[in-house]
Amino acid sequence: MAVVMQHFSTTAQVHSQGPIPSLVPHGYLAVDFFFVLSGYIMCYTYLAAFQRQGWSAYGDFLLRRAIRLMPLNAAIALALISLGLCSTALIGRNLFHGPIDLPIDVISNLLMLQGLGLGKPISGPSWSVSVELLSYALFPVLIGGVFSPHRAWQALALLMSLAGLYVVASQTPHFDLAIESAPWGGVRCITEFTLGMLAYRWSCCSSMDRGGDRQPRNAAGIWLGSDRITAAVLLVCLVLVGLRQDLLVALSFPFVIAAVAQNRGRVARALEHRWLYFLGVISYSLYLVHDALRGVALELLRAFHPLPLERPWALLFALLCSLAVIPFAWLTYHCIETPSRAYLSRRFLARRSSAASGLAVLPTEPR
């Protein structure tokens, strides 16, 4: 939602009488937060399998992640191309995506290569989704460094992550992290993914043999997870966000995620609210769907209100459009994400499990 609100603030600015503040300044940092969180969650969910099976777990892991990401990405890309052709035919303008090269960009988007310098993203935010899949492809290699029994390898993983993030930030005059183009967009996200894995390693695992516990907690995790420390970490992060210090904000995210994940008190209870859970469930759809609605929203606004909006009304427009994305995301979640994941899981995961065990396996949909 931070990304959605920042993008619609930019859209509202186009039809505003004067400069307006973003609803979420530097909201693109939510992408950085996501990649740190993703590294943490992948360890929480899949580390045990890799520690038991080694590289044998790689095929199943990568298949599961592809099933999770690729169907919605492909559906949105194809829908945008179709809608773009329709809008061009009807009103002479493409409201849904920028110029693309056929068929190169279509193929790169369907194969999720659009954020790696191979083709242009048809849906703007999808660049990071392709980098996410690349992070998953590198996951077992990163495990070898982050969870090595030799501290030198852990230190090397940390130093390379810090150096990579610094180099990315140094590409901009104010050390901002709003960089999407290859290769720096990929470096930005993969280093943060590694930082999330390191946060899991140091807050959850006291030794290698504990790395696969479902609810592992070591002394550092218990200390971080106390209400006071969690609140302090969150406050520091918010202050840095207010100061717009992107690099420091990104470096605070591993501490935020480790603290919140280990918390068993008030913070945990607050984050269990059903609306937050609901937004989490549909978050992938929110992220990929919203950009397609920006051009349509602006066109409708200009049709009903040709004159530029006063600044308070422009901000209200940005807020209402951001909230209006939620039902569309809910629809794509139920009509595309859920059925495609269920079908592909039955089609491929159940067959792999059956072949591996020699037993009949009932198809189930992974959550």
Side-chain angles (χ1 to χ4, degrees):
M1 284 301 295
V3 173
V4 171
M5 294 173 83
Q6 183 197 20
H7 283 171
F8 273 107
S9 299
T10 303
T11 302
Q13 179 68 76
V14 175
H15 201 62
S16 172
Q17 291 181 359
I20 60 172
S22 174
L23 292 174
V24 183
H26 289 221
Y28 55 80
L29 286 171
V31 174
D32 303 272
F33 181 86
F34 167 81
F35 274 91
V36 180
L37 176 63
S38 183
Y40 192 99
I41 292 296
M42 289 304 104
C43 290
Y44 177 84
T45 308
Y46 294 105
L47 177 62
F50 278 96
Q51 289 182 333
R52 287 194 307 267
Q53 305 171 32
W55 281 90
S56 299
Y58 187 51
D60 184 75
F61 165 76
L62 204 55
L63 181 59
R64 288 179 182 275
R65 303 321 300 160
I67 287 174
R68 178 69 181 91
L69 295 180
M70 295 186 79
L72 183 63
N73 175 77
I76 295 296
L78 294 174
L80 288 180
I81 293 172
S82 302
L83 291 170
L85 292 172
C86 291
S87 71
T88 301
L90 292 173
I91 63 174
R93 293 193 305 280
N94 189 335
L95 302 178
F96 295 94
H97 62 80
I100 60 173
D101 297 324
L102 297 172
I104 295 174
D105 288 339
V106 176
I107 295 172
S108 68
N109 278 261
L110 294 180
L111 296 177
M112 297 191 68
L113 303 172
Q114 66 269 36
L116 309 179
L118 302 172
K120 298 185 294 292
I122 296 173
S123 171
S126 69
W127 72 270
S128 64
V129 181
S130 65
V131 177
E132 182 183 352
L133 193 60
L134 176 61
S135 300
Y136 298 150
L138 295 174
F139 185 56
V141 177
L142 297 174
I143 287 176
V146 172
F147 292 91
S148 170
H150 303 292
R151 292 186 180 274
W153 284 105
Q154 298 175 37
L156 180 62
L158 175 61
L159 288 174
M160 291 183 66
S161 297
L162 296 178
L165 206 55
Y166 176 84
V167 170
V168 171
S170 67
Q171 304 300 309
T172 62
H174 303 290
F175 273 68
D176 292 338
L177 289 174
I179 296 178
E180 302 176 0
S181 58
W184 301 118
V187 174
R188 164 192 173 191
C189 297
I190 292 171
T191 55
E192 291 163 345
F193 185 86
T194 308
L195 288 175
M197 295 177 64
L198 287 164
Y200 183 89
R201 173 70 180 88
W202 291 331
S203 66
C204 295
C205 308
S206 59
S207 63
M208 278 294 292
D209 59 351
R210 288 188 58 196
D213 293 348
R214 292 302 297 173
Q215 290 286 348
R217 304 183 81 196
N218 62 13
I222 293 171
W223 179 77
L224 269 175
S226 65
D227 275 339
R228 288 184 179 181
I229 299 300
T230 301
V233 169
L234 287 169
L235 179 60
V236 169
C237 180
L238 290 174
V239 169
L240 293 173
V241 169
L243 295 174
R244 303 187 184 185
Q245 299 295 317
D246 285 8
L247 186 58
L248 295 178
V249 172
L251 293 177
S252 75
F253 286 155
F255 298 96
V256 170
I257 290 167
V260 172
Q262 299 298 329
N263 184 268
R264 303 291 186 269
R266 295 178 180 177
V267 175
R269 290 193 292 273
L271 292 177
E272 289 172 352
H273 193 279
R274 61 180 181 175
W275 280 107
L276 291 179
Y277 177 78
F278 169 73
L279 289 175
V281 168
I282 66 169
S283 60
Y284 184 37
S285 282
L286 275 172
Y287 187 65
L288 282 191
V289 166
H290 80 276
D291 203 54
L293 303 176
R294 292 172 63 192
V296 176
L298 185 60
E299 190 71 15
L300 290 173
L301 174 63
R302 285 170 168 166
F304 287 99
H305 197 285
L307 296 176
L309 295 173
E310 296 181 5
R311 282 181 281 188
W313 290 107
L315 283 171
L316 180 61
F317 167 77
L319 177 61
L320 293 177
C321 287
S322 300
L323 296 176
V325 174
I326 294 175
F328 288 98
W330 180 84
L331 281 173
T332 56
Y333 173 77
H334 281 284
C335 296
I336 300 175
E337 275 196 73
T338 301
S340 63
R341 202 185 317 171
Y343 171 76
L344 292 173
S345 295
R346 288 194 301 268
R347 182 74 173 80
F348 296 106
L349 290 176
R351 177 179 293 181
R352 284 177 63 90
S353 300
S354 179
S357 64
L359 300 174
V361 177
L362 292 176
T364 57
E365 177 189 353
R367 292 190 62 181

